[in-house]
Amino acid sequence: MSEDKIEIENAGSPGHIQRVDRAKFTAMRDALLSVLPDEPPGMKVPDAKAELLPKLPDDLFPGGAKAGWWLKAAQLDLEAKGIIARAPKPPVRLYRVK
């Protein structure tokens, strides 16, 4: 596998693997994990996005471009790996699993 790509999973499609840009994914994953709380019910996705946008490198996400897609990709991968979870009732609220 190319060093500039990383394989990610999708909690909504078990067994489905997608190859994406490593730098963008890693930056988003790290930013998302840095803002999510450790306890349920967690943080609403729009609130998480607002908090993580300033943490993203501008060269990868100029003006926050495409951050929504990458946030969802990171969310689904981290959920598939059991690193984060969502609260059982809507709206979607995310938190880190201990």
Side-chain angles (χ1 to χ4, degrees), residues 7-59:
E7 290 185 347
I8 63 171
E9 299 176 60
N10 184 330
S13 300
H16 178 75
I17 302 293
Q18 185 172 0
R19 295 185 57 193
V20 298
D21 183 88
R22 179 182 299 274
K24 287 184 179 184
F25 179 80
T26 302
M28 180 58 74
R29 180 195 63 205
D30 294 348
L32 178 58
L33 288 173
S34 77
V35 301
L36 291 181
D38 289 329
E39 300 289 331
M43 178 182 282
K44 293 178 185 175
V45 175
D47 296 337
K49 183 178 179 184
E51 283 196 36
L52 69 78
L53 280 175
K55 298 174 179 274
L56 296 173
D58 200 50
D59 62 325

Side-chain angles (χ1 to χ4, degrees), residues 52-76:
L52 69 78
L53 280 175
K55 298 174 179 274
L56 296 173
D58 200 50
D59 62 325
L60 296 177
F61 299 94
K66 307 288 186 198
W69 187 92
W70 287 97
L71 170 57
K72 189 65 172 182
Q75 171 197 333
L76 293 173

